[in-house]
């Protein structure tokens, strides 16, 4: 996911950790929410506990301490949520006409905006990201809903000039049915908005399964959808872990699955949906190459490449994690990046001075730390960072930059999903395009140059669903986003994602 221009520019502050008692820093609505006892499911207009009463703790990544308990949904709860979605779809939701659907989505967007401070605090607390970044996520979620709010009244079929005599042939575009939408923890509310907005615009009912690391804003989203006036059952929220997600995918009442997360789980979901012939879209991992050509504006390239990898502490599916710098500028660029990285301020998300937050969990900390170890073991050198240490219970990792990297090293091939960049030199365009494409992934690629023909030539050569020229990670609700190869199937955003929630019915009438 996406680097946008609200990101603070790099440099300036000194590096340091500042663990603090974060819940005390919350404003009243967010504190009231997390103090209101175990968070329950949202199914229809009810707020049940899990059928078997199980709960789990969601943790503050800045301290490793529990924020609150959350219902751990199981198979019975998945079935109940899917039934509620089906009841909405066959009942009240079917009667909601397109203009009303549009108004409801806009109402939800307005409620998110009105509750934006609380949502941003909850997001920062649960995920660890700096509050300013969380505010950016909430604003982007509002924009996303507003974009899709425009669609319901523009979903049109066609009349087809068939050859048969005296036949009226036309198409209808109908909602695909009950959706299972499983989202990750890196942009919790924004990824939920990416999923639910096109489903709601298409007239579907959905069961949203947030990540176990970051369930809080999804629960609020479910509450706000009811407040906005959607028929109960239109948007259900099933909290829980991977087993909960698997039970939801397996439920025979689900017609369409949308998933964002790891390629491993994406393959499993794709396999299941293939067998059951459920519609499926997958937005998966990446190891995106970012190429600095010899004639690039180096100031812009260094700044953009820095944010392209370290934004959101490297926890973006489209992070620019493999940097290829033309040999003429390699030492210069690496030196500047290492300086920015050394000056970066990593700290709790609720501390206004933090430029980058902790990574989301102990599991993620250990995963990233073990990649850093593997890089050092395989002979790479850390020009910045490189020695993650748990500090004050939080999962802080300083921006790490590897040099002396070869294309075969694990740090150059595998998705790390943390603040770790590998920088490698190259000589010519064909060579760098071949090396950039030598990966199972194909989510994003970037290039920096002042030469317009080189720019478009290389953009055409790169096997990636998103190519950034002299920028990293431009994003808009209207612009399709998704991956080539093992980075996914289908596209998020734009009318491409609306299509993923619609079936086409062709009607033949003999006149
Ligand atoms: P994950 O793919 O296990 O989790 C993502 C979501 O899927 C969560 O809601 C989770 O509960 C759910 N889930 C897990 N197993 C499932 C299953 N078998 N069936 C249905 N739903 C399931 O990712 P995880 O473990 O949080 O992170 C592991 C790695 O995945 C990261 O290190 C990163 O490389 C990648 N990742 C990529 C993301 C992206 O934006 N493309 C987002 C999060 C993780
Ligand atoms: Mg959490």
């Amino acid at each position: 996911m996406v680097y946008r221009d609200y990101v603070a520019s790099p440099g300036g502050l000194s590096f340091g950790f500042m663990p603090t008692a974060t819940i005390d820093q919350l404003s009243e609505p967010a504190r009231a929410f997390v103090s209101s006892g175990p968070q329950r499911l949202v199914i229809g207009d009810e707020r049940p506990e899990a059928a078997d009463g199980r709960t789990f703790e969601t943790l503050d990544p800045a301290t490793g301490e529990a924020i609150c308990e959350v219902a751990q949904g199981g198979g019975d709860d998945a079935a109940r949520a899917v039934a509620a979605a089906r009841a909405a779809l066959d009942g009240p939701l079917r009667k909601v006409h397109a203009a009303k659907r549009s108004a409801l989505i806009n109402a939800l967007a307005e409620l998110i905006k009105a509750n934006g401070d609380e949502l941003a605090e909850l997001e920062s607390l649960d995920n660890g990201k700096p509050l300013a970044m969380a505010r950016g996520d909430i604003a982007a979620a509002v924009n996303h809903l507003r974009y899709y709010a425009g669609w319901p009244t523009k979903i049109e079929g066609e009349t087809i000039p068939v050859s048969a005599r005296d036949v009226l042939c036309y198409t209808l575009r109908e909602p695909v049915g009950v959706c299972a939408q499983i989202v990750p923890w890196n942009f919790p509310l924004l990824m939920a908005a990416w999923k639910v907005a096109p489903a709601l615009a298409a007239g579907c009912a959905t069961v949203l399964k947030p990540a176990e690391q970051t369930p809080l804003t999804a629960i609020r989203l479910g509450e706000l959808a009811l407040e906005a006036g959607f028929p109960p059952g239109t948007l259900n929220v099933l909290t829980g872990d991977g087993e909960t997600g698997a039970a939801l995918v397996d439920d025979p009442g689900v017609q369409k699955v949308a998933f964002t997360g790891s390629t491993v789980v994406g393959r499993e979901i794709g396999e299941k949906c293939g067998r059951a012939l459920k519609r499926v879209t997958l937005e998966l991992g990446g190891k995106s190459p970012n190429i600095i050509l010899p004639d690039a504006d180096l100031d812009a390239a260094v700044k953009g490449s820095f944010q392209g990898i370290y934004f959101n502490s490297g926890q973006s599916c489209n992070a620019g994690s493999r940097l290829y710098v033309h040999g003429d500028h390699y030492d210069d660029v690496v030196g500047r990046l290492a300086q920015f990285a050394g000056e970066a301020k990593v700290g709790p998300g609720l501390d206004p001075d933090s430029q980058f937050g902790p990574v989301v969990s102990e599991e993620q900390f250990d995963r990233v730390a073990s990649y850093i170890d593997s890089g050092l073991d395989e002979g790479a050198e850390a020009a910045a960072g490189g020695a993650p240490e748990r500090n004050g219970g939080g999962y802080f990792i300083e921006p790490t930059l590897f040099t002396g990297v070869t294309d075969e090293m694990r740090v150059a091939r595998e998705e790390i999903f943390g603040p770790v960049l590998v920088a490698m030199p190259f000589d010519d365009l064909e060579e760098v395009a071949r090396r950039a494409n030598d990966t199972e992934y194909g989510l994003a690629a970037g290039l920096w140059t002042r030469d317009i023909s080189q720019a478009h030539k290389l953009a055409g050569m790169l096997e990636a669903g998103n190519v950034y020229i002299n920028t990293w990670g431009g994003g808009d609700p209207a612009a399709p986003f998704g991956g080539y190869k093992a980075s996914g199937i289908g596209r998020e955003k734009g009318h491409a994602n609306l299509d993923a929630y619609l079936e086409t019915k062709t009607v033949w009438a003999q006149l």
Side-chain angles (χ1 to χ4, degrees):
M1 234 295 308
V2 184
Y3 154 53
R4 286 177 303 274
D5 54 11
Y6 61 78
V7 172
S9 39
L13 299 156
S14 66
F15 180 78
F17 297 118
M18 298 180 56
T20 38
T22 43
I23 288 176
D24 297 340
Q25 290 166 250
L26 297 177
S27 60
E28 189 43 38
R31 191 170 21 206
F33 180 74
V34 299
S35 316
S36 62
Q39 299 301 325
R40 288 162 293 159
L41 309 170
V42 183
I43 299 182
D45 54 5
E46 295 176 15
R47 302 302 311 278
E49 293 177 9
D52 59 10
R54 281 197 298 161
T55 59
F56 65 97
E57 286 180 336
T58 187
L59 305 180
D60 173 358
T63 60
E65 282 164 22
I67 302 168
C68 61
E69 302 259 321
V70 179
Q72 165 79 31
D76 291 346
D77 303 298
R80 193 169 162 198
V82 169
R86 176 44 67 183
L89 202 55
D90 290 346
L93 188 56
R94 187 173 288 261
K95 300 196 187 91
V96 176
H97 58 67
K100 175 69 179 168
R101 226 158 57 229
S102 175
L104 287 170
I105 300 170
N106 269 321
L108 178 57
E110 290 316 302
L111 281 171
I112 292 174
K113 186 160 187 268
N115 292 276
D117 289 343
E118 177 199 345
L119 288 165
E121 286 185 9
L122 292 176
E123 201 79 309
S124 173
L125 181 65
D126 211 8
N127 164 280
K129 67 178 65 197
L131 190 56
M133 307 291 143
R135 285 188 206 285
D137 286 7
I138 308 307
V142 170
N143 281 342
H144 208 77
L145 284 155
R146 284 179 177 161
Y147 168 80
Y148 279 100
W151 270 112
T153 52
K154 288 132 198 122
I155 298 172
E156 297 172 344
E158 295 173 317
T159 51
I160 317 290
V162 294
S163 314
R165 204 185 299 269
D166 294 332
V167 164
L168 171 63
C169 181
Y170 63 92
T171 60
L172 297 171
R173 304 282 278 150
E174 298 184 337
V176 67
V178 172
C179 306
Q181 302 188 300
I182 301 173
V183 294
W185 41 260
N186 50 347
F187 298 87
L189 185 73
L190 182 55
M191 290 301 95
W194 278 27
K195 292 282 182 279
V196 304
L200 297 174
C204 294
T206 188
V207 181
L208 174 68
K209 212 297 282 173
E212 56 272 39
Q213 296 84 354
T214 55
L216 298 180
T217 49
I219 296 168
R220 287 294 288 130
L221 180 67
E223 293 176 348
L224 294 175
L226 286 169
E227 195 178 328
F230 279 100
T234 306
L235 171 49
N236 307 279
V237 182
L238 184 70
T239 47
D241 59 11
E243 271 179 43
T244 315
L248 181 59
V249 170
D250 291 340
D251 193 289
V254 166
Q255 279 80 45
K256 147 89 189 163
V257 179
F259 171 78
T260 296
S262 64
T263 292
V264 175
V265 173
R267 280 186 212 282
E268 182 188 316
I269 290 176
E271 235 177 271
K272 285 180 172 178
C273 291
R275 251 193 322 269
L277 297 175
K278 292 177 181 173
R279 279 70 185 128
V280 65
T281 42
L282 303 170
E283 209 259 274
L284 308 176
K287 188 73 183 176
S288 298
N290 178 25
I291 301 166
I292 301 181
L293 295 175
D295 68 336
D297 171 347
L298 287 188
D299 287 341
V302 167
K303 198 173 156 193
S305 302
F306 182 86
Q307 290 294 350
I309 176 64
Y310 298 120
F311 169 63
N312 213 39
S313 299
Q315 304 169 121
S316 306
C317 53
N318 66 344
S321 51
R322 280 188 291 151
L323 180 67
Y324 294 95
V325 188
H326 190 268
D328 290 353
H329 303 304
Y330 182 79
D331 291 339
D332 181 17
V333 166
V334 163
R336 293 206 232 173
L337 285 171
Q339 189 189 339
F340 281 154
E343 290 168 353
K345 177 116 186 272
V346 182
L350 292 175
D351 178 340
D353 289 339
S354 299
Q355 190 181 350
F356 302 110
V359 297
V360 77
S361 64
E362 179 162 27
E363 186 188 6
Q364 209 55 28
F365 181 95
D366 291 345
R367 184 177 285 147
V368 176
S370 87
Y371 271 113
I372 291 174
D373 286 346
S374 97
L376 295 170
D377 287 348
E378 288 190 88
E381 288 140 39
E389 251 178 71
R390 284 290 294 283
N391 189 307
Y395 314 125
F396 301 99
I397 300 182
E398 45 187 309
T400 292
L401 172 63
F402 276 124
T403 57
V405 175
T406 63
D407 292 337
E408 293 71 38
M409 289 181 186
R410 283 183 63 210
V411 285
R413 302 206 67 79
E414 297 177 21
E415 181 178 56
I416 298 175
F417 222 70
V420 182
L421 177 64
V422 296
M424 294 167 283
F426 74 92
D427 289 325
D428 72 67
L429 206 66
E430 266 71 25
E431 172 215 329
V432 77
R434 181 181 46 72
R435 291 169 65 195
N437 290 335
D438 180 20
T439 168
E440 67 167 333
Y441 296 115
L443 190 56
L447 60 103
W448 302 82
T449 179
R450 289 187 171 98
D451 180 332
I452 193 165
S453 83
Q454 291 257 73
H456 296 294
K457 190 172 166 203
L458 185 52
M461 290 160 84
L462 294 168
E463 296 165 358
N466 309 272
V467 174
Y468 310 125
I469 300 173
N470 295 333
T471 182
W472 189 274
D476 188 277
F481 180 86
Y484 282 24
K485 305 194 281 187
S487 290
I489 292 180
R491 291 291 177 273
E492 307 274 316
K493 309 172 113 179
H495 55 77
N497 204 17
L498 189 71
D499 286 343
Y501 293 90
L502 293 166
E503 291 281 14
T504 299
K505 178 182 281 174
T506 307
V507 181
W508 293 76
Q510 187 71 50
L511 304 178

